[in-house]
Amino acid sequence: AQSVTQLDSQVPVFEEAPVELRCNYSSSVSVYLFWYVQYPNQGLQLLLKYLSGSTLVKGINGFEAEFNKSQTSFHLRKPSVHISDTAEYFCAVTLYSGGGADGLTFGKGTHLIIQP
Amino acid sequence: ETGVTQSPTHLIKTRGQQVTLRCSSQSGHNTVSWYQQALGQGPQFIFQYYREEENGRGNFPPRFSGLQFPNYSSELNVNALELDDSALYLCASSPPGVGTEAFFGQGTRLTVV
């Protein structure tokens, strides 16, 4: 079975500073990787995904992530954060071979707190 | 284009009761999945429906059941509610294809007392 570990439950960052949210996964087979954002009292919105190809993936709102197969990591980065980036961020995987029927396996989330 | 909509947004039930949550998929999406998100946790996969058949299930007991209708809308039914069932229930719909994006609704907040 696959699993996702988000190493930081909470990350405080000053506005306009860079940020990295860490995600490691465990799986015996190939996976697809996703980052979702959840604003208070809302559902989840996809930031970006890695299916194949270039290991550097660019998403919405200036976020990007890099897939590292040897380290089984998919860390999320943004060069300069804004107050509006305050939210909960979830890393998720789904099995490449499952056809999506295995659903998404999520990490526990990282709360990004932007300080003025 | 209408997104994924869920109803109701909130409800309170008593332990032992049964509950039905509803989800309308985004237009063109033939796959719907349900997730349970406990407070402070990531969503947990309950099950997925494709063309009205359950084709994937997470580690949830049989008292969690579902339906998908010909218009691809869906229901989640939970019988014999327990206090630990209190959570945000999220519905997500996806277009055909592997690795496609799951579009989430805003969820139903269920409180079991």
Side-chain angles (χ1 to χ4, degrees):
Chain A
Q2 65 274 23
S3 66
V4 175
T5 301
Q6 291 184 243
L7 297 162
D8 305 295
S9 60
Q10 195 166 282
V11 173
V13 182
F14 286 106
E15 194 172 14
E16 298 183 7
V19 68
E20 179 179 81
L21 306 184
R22 297 180 292 169
C23 171
N24 286 86
Y25 69 94
S26 174
S27 175
S28 58
V29 298
S30 296
V31 296
Y32 295 133
L33 295 145
F34 304 81
W35 274 99
Y36 281 86
V37 60
Q38 186 176 35
Y39 298 103
N41 301 314
Q42 293 190 26
L44 287 81
Q45 180 184 10
L46 181 70
L47 282 175
L48 47 78
K49 62 182 178 182
Y50 174 78
L51 303 183
S52 64
S54 172
T55 57
L56 183 62
V57 180
K58 294 192 182 296
I60 63 171
N61 301 341
F63 285 94
E64 63 179 32
E66 185 150 22
F67 170 57
N68 188 317
K69 188 174 182 179
S70 63
Q71 297 188 5
T72 60
S73 68
F74 191 52
H75 299 335
L76 180 71
R77 297 191 291 258
K78 186 169 183 178
S80 175
V81 296
H82 189 265
I83 286 286
S84 60
D85 293 322
T86 297
E88 195 79 19
Y89 291 80
F90 293 96
C91 181
V93 303
T94 190
L95 295 181
Y96 177 84
S97 60
D102 304 271
L104 293 163
T105 299
F106 286 87
K108 291 187 175 182
T110 297
H111 188 196
L112 179 60
I113 302 168
I114 309 302
Q115 302 168 327
Chain B
E1 182 178 271
T2 306
V4 179
T5 57
Q6 294 186 240
S7 62
T9 54
H10 298 80
L11 77 165
I12 300 173
K13 289 286 188 178
T14 303
R15 188 173 53 181
Q17 284 188 316
Q18 178 265 343
V19 69
T20 297
L21 310 182
R22 294 179 174 82
C23 172
S24 293
S25 302
Q26 189 159 326
S27 177
H29 292 188
N30 59 5
T31 302
V32 65
S33 50
W34 285 90
Y35 292 81
Q36 180 195 66
Q37 186 178 17
L39 204 59
Q41 301 293 317
Q44 299 280 320
F45 175 62
I46 302 175
F47 47 57
Q48 177 174 289
Y49 278 80
Y50 171 70
R51 293 186 176 180
E52 303 176 54
E53 296 284 335
E54 183 182 301
N55 73 336
R57 190 176 184 93
N59 189 26
F60 280 81
R63 60 189 186 85
F64 286 79
S65 63
L67 284 172
Q68 187 183 29
F69 300 100
N71 65 355
Y72 302 133
S73 65
S74 176
E75 287 182 354
L76 164 65
N77 299 290
V78 187
N79 293 321
L81 283 167
E82 301 176 359
L83 297 179
D84 285 348
D85 295 333
S86 295
L88 180 68
Y89 288 84
L90 294 164
C91 170
S93 71
S94 306
V98 179
T100 56
E101 176 181 351
F103 290 80
F104 284 82
Q106 293 197 328
T108 294
R109 173 74 62 188
L110 171 65
T111 302
V112 182
V113 299

PDB file of all heavy atoms in Angstrom, chain A residues 57-87:
ATOM      1  N   VAL A  57       7.522  20.535 -12.221  1.00  0.00           N
ATOM      2  CA  VAL A  57       6.149  20.784 -12.627  1.00  0.00           C
ATOM      3  C   VAL A  57       5.722  22.161 -12.139  1.00  0.00           C
ATOM      4  O   VAL A  57       5.915  22.495 -10.967  1.00  0.00           O
ATOM      5  CB  VAL A  57       5.198  19.722 -12.027  1.00  0.00           C
ATOM      6  CG1 VAL A  57       3.778  19.983 -12.458  1.00  0.00           C
ATOM      7  CG2 VAL A  57       5.641  18.320 -12.429  1.00  0.00           C
ATOM      8  N   LYS A  58       5.140  22.926 -13.023  1.00  0.00           N
ATOM      9  CA  LYS A  58       4.641  24.257 -12.637  1.00  0.00           C
ATOM     10  C   LYS A  58       3.121  24.206 -12.511  1.00  0.00           C
ATOM     11  O   LYS A  58       2.441  23.551 -13.315  1.00  0.00           O
ATOM     12  CB  LYS A  58       5.070  25.292 -13.672  1.00  0.00           C
ATOM     13  CG  LYS A  58       6.586  25.503 -13.698  1.00  0.00           C
ATOM     14  CD  LYS A  58       6.982  26.720 -14.491  1.00  0.00           C
ATOM     15  CE  LYS A  58       8.496  26.872 -14.528  1.00  0.00           C
ATOM     16  NZ  LYS A  58       9.051  27.114 -13.170  1.00  0.00           N
ATOM     17  N   GLY A  59       2.623  24.909 -11.491  1.00  0.00           N
ATOM     18  CA  GLY A  59       1.193  24.894 -11.245  1.00  0.00           C
ATOM     19  C   GLY A  59       0.605  26.290 -11.202  1.00  0.00           C
ATOM     20  O   GLY A  59       1.202  27.247 -11.687  1.00  0.00           O
ATOM     21  N   ILE A  60      -0.556  26.382 -10.580  1.00  0.00           N
ATOM     22  CA  ILE A  60      -1.224  27.671 -10.500  1.00  0.00           C
ATOM     23  C   ILE A  60      -0.667  28.502  -9.355  1.00  0.00           C
ATOM     24  O   ILE A  60       0.021  27.970  -8.466  1.00  0.00           O
ATOM     25  CB  ILE A  60      -2.750  27.484 -10.321  1.00  0.00           C
ATOM     26  CG1 ILE A  60      -3.052  26.765  -8.995  1.00  0.00           C
ATOM     27  CG2 ILE A  60      -3.352  26.737 -11.499  1.00  0.00           C
ATOM     28  CD1 ILE A  60      -4.527  26.740  -8.635  1.00  0.00           C
ATOM     29  N   ASN A  61      -0.966  29.789  -9.381  1.00  0.00           N
ATOM     30  CA  ASN A  61      -0.590  30.714  -8.296  1.00  0.00           C
ATOM     31  C   ASN A  61       0.914  30.761  -8.035  1.00  0.00           C
ATOM     32  O   ASN A  61       1.325  31.083  -6.918  1.00  0.00           O
ATOM     33  CB  ASN A  61      -1.324  30.352  -6.999  1.00  0.00           C
ATOM     34  CG  ASN A  61      -2.838  30.394  -7.153  1.00  0.00           C
ATOM     35  OD1 ASN A  61      -3.358  31.010  -8.068  1.00  0.00           O
ATOM     36  ND2 ASN A  61      -3.540  29.725  -6.268  1.00  0.00           N
ATOM     37  N   GLY A  62       1.720  30.470  -9.033  1.00  0.00           N
ATOM     38  CA  GLY A  62       3.171  30.585  -8.893  1.00  0.00           C
ATOM     39  C   GLY A  62       3.856  29.430  -8.202  1.00  0.00           C
ATOM     40  O   GLY A  62       5.052  29.491  -7.915  1.00  0.00           O
ATOM     41  N   PHE A  63       3.144  28.363  -7.903  1.00  0.00           N
ATOM     42  CA  PHE A  63       3.737  27.197  -7.251  1.00  0.00           C
ATOM     43  C   PHE A  63       4.395  26.269  -8.269  1.00  0.00           C
ATOM     44  O   PHE A  63       3.972  26.195  -9.417  1.00  0.00           O
ATOM     45  CB  PHE A  63       2.675  26.421  -6.467  1.00  0.00           C
ATOM     46  CG  PHE A  63       2.263  27.071  -5.174  1.00  0.00           C
ATOM     47  CD1 PHE A  63       1.166  27.911  -5.119  1.00  0.00           C
ATOM     48  CD2 PHE A  63       2.997  26.836  -4.016  1.00  0.00           C
ATOM     49  CE1 PHE A  63       0.795  28.521  -3.921  1.00  0.00           C
ATOM     50  CE2 PHE A  63       2.630  27.435  -2.820  1.00  0.00           C
ATOM     51  CZ  PHE A  63       1.530  28.276  -2.772  1.00  0.00           C
ATOM     52  N   GLU A  64       5.417  25.552  -7.819  1.00  0.00           N
ATOM     53  CA  GLU A  64       6.055  24.525  -8.608  1.00  0.00           C
ATOM     54  C   GLU A  64       6.486  23.403  -7.679  1.00  0.00           C
ATOM     55  O   GLU A  64       6.580  23.581  -6.458  1.00  0.00           O
ATOM     56  CB  GLU A  64       7.269  25.071  -9.375  1.00  0.00           C
ATOM     57  CG  GLU A  64       8.386  25.572  -8.490  1.00  0.00           C
ATOM     58  CD  GLU A  64       9.562  26.079  -9.304  1.00  0.00           C
ATOM     59  OE1 GLU A  64       9.358  26.603 -10.419  1.00  0.00           O
ATOM     60  OE2 GLU A  64      10.702  25.969  -8.807  1.00  0.00           O
ATOM     61  N   ALA A  65       6.706  22.228  -8.243  1.00  0.00           N
ATOM     62  CA  ALA A  65       7.148  21.088  -7.452  1.00  0.00           C
ATOM     63  C   ALA A  65       8.114  20.266  -8.277  1.00  0.00           C
ATOM     64  O   ALA A  65       8.048  20.250  -9.510  1.00  0.00           O
ATOM     65  CB  ALA A  65       5.967  20.230  -7.019  1.00  0.00           C
ATOM     66  N   GLU A  66       9.017  19.581  -7.591  1.00  0.00           N
ATOM     67  CA  GLU A  66       9.998  18.745  -8.264  1.00  0.00           C
ATOM     68  C   GLU A  66       9.879  17.315  -7.801  1.00  0.00           C
ATOM     69  O   GLU A  66       9.931  17.021  -6.594  1.00  0.00           O
ATOM     70  CB  GLU A  66      11.414  19.253  -8.017  1.00  0.00           C
ATOM     71  CG  GLU A  66      12.465  18.474  -8.811  1.00  0.00           C
ATOM     72  CD  GLU A  66      13.668  19.310  -9.160  1.00  0.00           C
ATOM     73  OE1 GLU A  66      13.905  20.318  -8.466  1.00  0.00           O
ATOM     74  OE2 GLU A  66      14.376  18.950 -10.121  1.00  0.00           O
ATOM     75  N   PHE A  67       9.713  16.414  -8.750  1.00  0.00           N
ATOM     76  CA  PHE A  67       9.635  14.989  -8.472  1.00  0.00           C
ATOM     77  C   PHE A  67      11.055  14.427  -8.418  1.00  0.00           C
ATOM     78  O   PHE A  67      11.849  14.605  -9.349  1.00  0.00           O
ATOM     79  CB  PHE A  67       8.832  14.286  -9.560  1.00  0.00           C
ATOM     80  CG  PHE A  67       8.882  12.783  -9.515  1.00  0.00           C
ATOM     81  CD1 PHE A  67       8.488  12.097  -8.376  1.00  0.00           C
ATOM     82  CD2 PHE A  67       9.319  12.048 -10.612  1.00  0.00           C
ATOM     83  CE1 PHE A  67       8.535  10.720  -8.328  1.00  0.00           C
ATOM     84  CE2 PHE A  67       9.363  10.667 -10.572  1.00  0.00           C
ATOM     85  CZ  PHE A  67       8.967   9.992  -9.429  1.00  0.00           C
ATOM     86  N   ASN A  68      11.375  13.748  -7.335  1.00  0.00           N
ATOM     87  CA  ASN A  68      12.682  13.109  -7.182  1.00  0.00           C
ATOM     88  C   ASN A  68      12.437  11.636  -6.887  1.00  0.00           C
ATOM     89  O   ASN A  68      12.079  11.257  -5.763  1.00  0.00           O
ATOM     90  CB  ASN A  68      13.476  13.777  -6.051  1.00  0.00           C
ATOM     91  CG  ASN A  68      14.896  13.276  -5.983  1.00  0.00           C
ATOM     92  OD1 ASN A  68      15.151  12.071  -6.106  1.00  0.00           O
ATOM     93  ND2 ASN A  68      15.843  14.173  -5.789  1.00  0.00           N
ATOM     94  N   LYS A  69      12.628  10.810  -7.909  1.00  0.00           N
ATOM     95  CA  LYS A  69      12.299   9.391  -7.762  1.00  0.00           C
ATOM     96  C   LYS A  69      13.221   8.688  -6.774  1.00  0.00           C
ATOM     97  O   LYS A  69      12.782   7.851  -5.979  1.00  0.00           O
ATOM     98  CB  LYS A  69      12.366   8.695  -9.126  1.00  0.00           C
ATOM     99  CG  LYS A  69      11.860   7.266  -9.117  1.00  0.00           C
ATOM    100  CD  LYS A  69      11.819   6.680 -10.521  1.00  0.00           C
ATOM    101  CE  LYS A  69      11.261   5.265 -10.494  1.00  0.00           C
ATOM    102  NZ  LYS A  69      11.188   4.682 -11.861  1.00  0.00           N
ATOM    103  N   SER A  70      14.505   9.018  -6.797  1.00  0.00           N
ATOM    104  CA  SER A  70      15.455   8.335  -5.915  1.00  0.00           C
ATOM    105  C   SER A  70      15.182   8.647  -4.448  1.00  0.00           C
ATOM    106  O   SER A  70      15.386   7.804  -3.576  1.00  0.00           O
ATOM    107  CB  SER A  70      16.891   8.720  -6.283  1.00  0.00           C
ATOM    108  OG  SER A  70      17.081  10.113  -6.089  1.00  0.00           O
ATOM    109  N   GLN A  71      14.716   9.848  -4.188  1.00  0.00           N
ATOM    110  CA  GLN A  71      14.405  10.229  -2.804  1.00  0.00           C
ATOM    111  C   GLN A  71      12.919  10.090  -2.490  1.00  0.00           C
ATOM    112  O   GLN A  71      12.499  10.431  -1.373  1.00  0.00           O
ATOM    113  CB  GLN A  71      14.862  11.674  -2.540  1.00  0.00           C
ATOM    114  CG  GLN A  71      16.363  11.863  -2.674  1.00  0.00           C
ATOM    115  CD  GLN A  71      16.840  13.233  -2.233  1.00  0.00           C
ATOM    116  OE1 GLN A  71      16.059  14.041  -1.737  1.00  0.00           O
ATOM    117  NE2 GLN A  71      18.115  13.500  -2.430  1.00  0.00           N
ATOM    118  N   THR A  72      12.151   9.622  -3.438  1.00  0.00           N
ATOM    119  CA  THR A  72      10.694   9.487  -3.320  1.00  0.00           C
ATOM    120  C   THR A  72      10.083  10.744  -2.696  1.00  0.00           C
ATOM    121  O   THR A  72       9.345  10.683  -1.703  1.00  0.00           O
ATOM    122  CB  THR A  72      10.285   8.228  -2.528  1.00  0.00           C
ATOM    123  OG1 THR A  72      10.823   8.299  -1.200  1.00  0.00           O
ATOM    124  CG2 THR A  72      10.757   6.975  -3.219  1.00  0.00           C
ATOM    125  N   SER A  73      10.428  11.879  -3.291  1.00  0.00           N
ATOM    126  CA  SER A  73       9.935  13.142  -2.767  1.00  0.00           C
ATOM    127  C   SER A  73       9.240  13.940  -3.865  1.00  0.00           C
ATOM    128  O   SER A  73       9.484  13.749  -5.062  1.00  0.00           O
ATOM    129  CB  SER A  73      11.076  13.958  -2.165  1.00  0.00           C
ATOM    130  OG  SER A  73      11.967  14.384  -3.179  1.00  0.00           O
ATOM    131  N   PHE A  74       8.398  14.855  -3.414  1.00  0.00           N
ATOM    132  CA  PHE A  74       7.668  15.734  -4.341  1.00  0.00           C
ATOM    133  C   PHE A  74       7.409  17.037  -3.573  1.00  0.00           C
ATOM    134  O   PHE A  74       6.293  17.341  -3.189  1.00  0.00           O
ATOM    135  CB  PHE A  74       6.363  15.069  -4.788  1.00  0.00           C
ATOM    136  CG  PHE A  74       5.653  15.760  -5.925  1.00  0.00           C
ATOM    137  CD1 PHE A  74       6.315  16.078  -7.106  1.00  0.00           C
ATOM    138  CD2 PHE A  74       4.297  16.069  -5.830  1.00  0.00           C
ATOM    139  CE1 PHE A  74       5.655  16.690  -8.158  1.00  0.00           C
ATOM    140  CE2 PHE A  74       3.620  16.691  -6.878  1.00  0.00           C
ATOM    141  CZ  PHE A  74       4.303  17.000  -8.034  1.00  0.00           C
ATOM    142  N   HIS A  75       8.472  17.796  -3.359  1.00  0.00           N
ATOM    143  CA  HIS A  75       8.379  19.009  -2.542  1.00  0.00           C
ATOM    144  C   HIS A  75       7.773  20.162  -3.342  1.00  0.00           C
ATOM    145  O   HIS A  75       8.086  20.346  -4.522  1.00  0.00           O
ATOM    146  CB  HIS A  75       9.763  19.406  -2.038  1.00  0.00           C
ATOM    147  CG  HIS A  75      10.410  18.365  -1.182  1.00  0.00           C
ATOM    148  ND1 HIS A  75       9.713  17.428  -0.463  1.00  0.00           N
ATOM    149  CD2 HIS A  75      11.727  18.114  -0.948  1.00  0.00           C
ATOM    150  CE1 HIS A  75      10.539  16.650   0.192  1.00  0.00           C
ATOM    151  NE2 HIS A  75      11.782  17.036  -0.082  1.00  0.00           N
ATOM    152  N   LEU A  76       6.980  20.949  -2.667  1.00  0.00           N
ATOM    153  CA  LEU A  76       6.291  22.095  -3.272  1.00  0.00           C
ATOM    154  C   LEU A  76       7.033  23.370  -2.912  1.00  0.00           C
ATOM    155  O   LEU A  76       7.422  23.558  -1.760  1.00  0.00           O
ATOM    156  CB  LEU A  76       4.852  22.162  -2.746  1.00  0.00           C
ATOM    157  CG  LEU A  76       3.962  23.295  -3.275  1.00  0.00           C
ATOM    158  CD1 LEU A  76       3.600  23.053  -4.740  1.00  0.00           C
ATOM    159  CD2 LEU A  76       2.693  23.395  -2.428  1.00  0.00           C
ATOM    160  N   ARG A  77       7.189  24.267  -3.900  1.00  0.00           N
ATOM    161  CA  ARG A  77       7.934  25.493  -3.640  1.00  0.00           C
ATOM    162  C   ARG A  77       7.217  26.693  -4.251  1.00  0.00           C
ATOM    163  O   ARG A  77       6.469  26.570  -5.228  1.00  0.00           O
ATOM    164  CB  ARG A  77       9.350  25.411  -4.234  1.00  0.00           C
ATOM    165  CG  ARG A  77      10.219  24.336  -3.634  1.00  0.00           C
ATOM    166  CD  ARG A  77      11.653  24.511  -4.094  1.00  0.00           C
ATOM    167  NE  ARG A  77      11.815  24.227  -5.513  1.00  0.00           N
ATOM    168  CZ  ARG A  77      12.317  23.106  -5.997  1.00  0.00           C
ATOM    169  NH1 ARG A  77      12.663  22.134  -5.157  1.00  0.00           N
ATOM    170  NH2 ARG A  77      12.461  22.942  -7.290  1.00  0.00           N
ATOM    171  N   LYS A  78       7.486  27.852  -3.633  1.00  0.00           N
ATOM    172  CA  LYS A  78       7.042  29.117  -4.210  1.00  0.00           C
ATOM    173  C   LYS A  78       8.095  30.153  -3.868  1.00  0.00           C
ATOM    174  O   LYS A  78       8.514  30.260  -2.703  1.00  0.00           O
ATOM    175  CB  LYS A  78       5.682  29.534  -3.669  1.00  0.00           C
ATOM    176  CG  LYS A  78       5.122  30.790  -4.362  1.00  0.00           C
ATOM    177  CD  LYS A  78       3.676  31.062  -4.017  1.00  0.00           C
ATOM    178  CE  LYS A  78       3.163  32.278  -4.783  1.00  0.00           C
ATOM    179  NZ  LYS A  78       1.731  32.562  -4.523  1.00  0.00           N
ATOM    180  N   PRO A  79       8.580  30.924  -4.852  1.00  0.00           N
ATOM    181  CA  PRO A  79       9.693  31.844  -4.595  1.00  0.00           C
ATOM    182  C   PRO A  79       9.319  33.038  -3.727  1.00  0.00           C
ATOM    183  O   PRO A  79      10.171  33.593  -3.040  1.00  0.00           O
ATOM    184  CB  PRO A  79      10.116  32.293  -5.996  1.00  0.00           C
ATOM    185  CG  PRO A  79       8.955  32.002  -6.879  1.00  0.00           C
ATOM    186  CD  PRO A  79       8.210  30.868  -6.274  1.00  0.00           C
ATOM    187  N   SER A  80       8.026  33.432  -3.726  1.00  0.00           N
ATOM    188  CA  SER A  80       7.631  34.607  -2.956  1.00  0.00           C
ATOM    189  C   SER A  80       6.150  34.445  -2.585  1.00  0.00           C
ATOM    190  O   SER A  80       5.292  34.447  -3.458  1.00  0.00           O
ATOM    191  CB  SER A  80       7.844  35.880  -3.787  1.00  0.00           C
ATOM    192  OG  SER A  80       7.368  37.019  -3.095  1.00  0.00           O
ATOM    193  N   VAL A  81       5.883  34.312  -1.299  1.00  0.00           N
ATOM    194  CA  VAL A  81       4.498  34.031  -0.879  1.00  0.00           C
ATOM    195  C   VAL A  81       3.748  35.309  -0.573  1.00  0.00           C
ATOM    196  O   VAL A  81       4.339  36.353  -0.266  1.00  0.00           O
ATOM    197  CB  VAL A  81       4.466  33.095   0.346  1.00  0.00           C
ATOM    198  CG1 VAL A  81       5.040  31.733  -0.009  1.00  0.00           C
ATOM    199  CG2 VAL A  81       5.178  33.711   1.542  1.00  0.00           C
ATOM    200  N   HIS A  82       2.432  35.173  -0.636  1.00  0.00           N
ATOM    201  CA  HIS A  82       1.527  36.292  -0.370  1.00  0.00           C
ATOM    202  C   HIS A  82       0.579  35.887   0.742  1.00  0.00           C
ATOM    203  O   HIS A  82       0.349  34.697   0.967  1.00  0.00           O
ATOM    204  CB  HIS A  82       0.743  36.618  -1.659  1.00  0.00           C
ATOM    205  CG  HIS A  82      -0.052  37.868  -1.597  1.00  0.00           C
ATOM    206  ND1 HIS A  82      -1.384  37.873  -1.254  1.00  0.00           N
ATOM    207  CD2 HIS A  82       0.291  39.157  -1.818  1.00  0.00           C
ATOM    208  CE1 HIS A  82      -1.837  39.113  -1.265  1.00  0.00           C
ATOM    209  NE2 HIS A  82      -0.845  39.912  -1.605  1.00  0.00           N
ATOM    210  N   ILE A  83       0.015  36.888   1.388  1.00  0.00           N
ATOM    211  CA  ILE A  83      -0.938  36.622   2.482  1.00  0.00           C
ATOM    212  C   ILE A  83      -2.029  35.653   2.038  1.00  0.00           C
ATOM    213  O   ILE A  83      -2.461  34.780   2.802  1.00  0.00           O
ATOM    214  CB  ILE A  83      -1.570  37.937   2.974  1.00  0.00           C
ATOM    215  CG1 ILE A  83      -0.574  38.752   3.793  1.00  0.00           C
ATOM    216  CG2 ILE A  83      -2.816  37.666   3.800  1.00  0.00           C
ATOM    217  CD1 ILE A  83      -0.314  38.207   5.181  1.00  0.00           C
ATOM    218  N   SER A  84      -2.458  35.771   0.794  1.00  0.00           N
ATOM    219  CA  SER A  84      -3.551  34.937   0.284  1.00  0.00           C
ATOM    220  C   SER A  84      -3.156  33.468   0.138  1.00  0.00           C
ATOM    221  O   SER A  84      -4.025  32.629  -0.120  1.00  0.00           O
ATOM    222  CB  SER A  84      -4.035  35.467  -1.065  1.00  0.00           C
ATOM    223  OG  SER A  84      -2.977  35.455  -1.996  1.00  0.00           O
ATOM    224  N   ASP A  85      -1.873  33.152   0.294  1.00  0.00           N
ATOM    225  CA  ASP A  85      -1.431  31.751   0.231  1.00  0.00           C
ATOM    226  C   ASP A  85      -1.661  31.001   1.543  1.00  0.00           C
ATOM    227  O   ASP A  85      -1.430  29.791   1.616  1.00  0.00           O
ATOM    228  CB  ASP A  85       0.056  31.679  -0.133  1.00  0.00           C
ATOM    229  CG  ASP A  85       0.334  32.150  -1.544  1.00  0.00           C
ATOM    230  OD1 ASP A  85      -0.481  31.860  -2.441  1.00  0.00           O
ATOM    231  OD2 ASP A  85       1.382  32.810  -1.750  1.00  0.00           O
ATOM    232  N   THR A  86      -2.090  31.713   2.571  1.00  0.00           N
ATOM    233  CA  THR A  86      -2.403  31.060   3.844  1.00  0.00           C
ATOM    234  C   THR A  86      -3.502  30.034   3.630  1.00  0.00           C
ATOM    235  O   THR A  86      -4.609  30.367   3.207  1.00  0.00           O
ATOM    236  CB  THR A  86      -2.852  32.099   4.887  1.00  0.00           C
ATOM    237  OG1 THR A  86      -1.772  32.998   5.147  1.00  0.00           O
ATOM    238  CG2 THR A  86      -3.273  31.422   6.182  1.00  0.00           C
ATOM    239  N   ALA A  87      -3.191  28.768   3.893  1.00  0.00           N
ATOM    240  CA  ALA A  87      -4.136  27.680   3.622  1.00  0.00           C
ATOM    241  C   ALA A  87      -3.497  26.376   4.096  1.00  0.00           C
ATOM    242  O   ALA A  87      -2.376  26.340   4.581  1.00  0.00           O
ATOM    243  CB  ALA A  87      -4.457  27.586   2.136  1.00  0.00           C
TER     244      ALA A  87
END
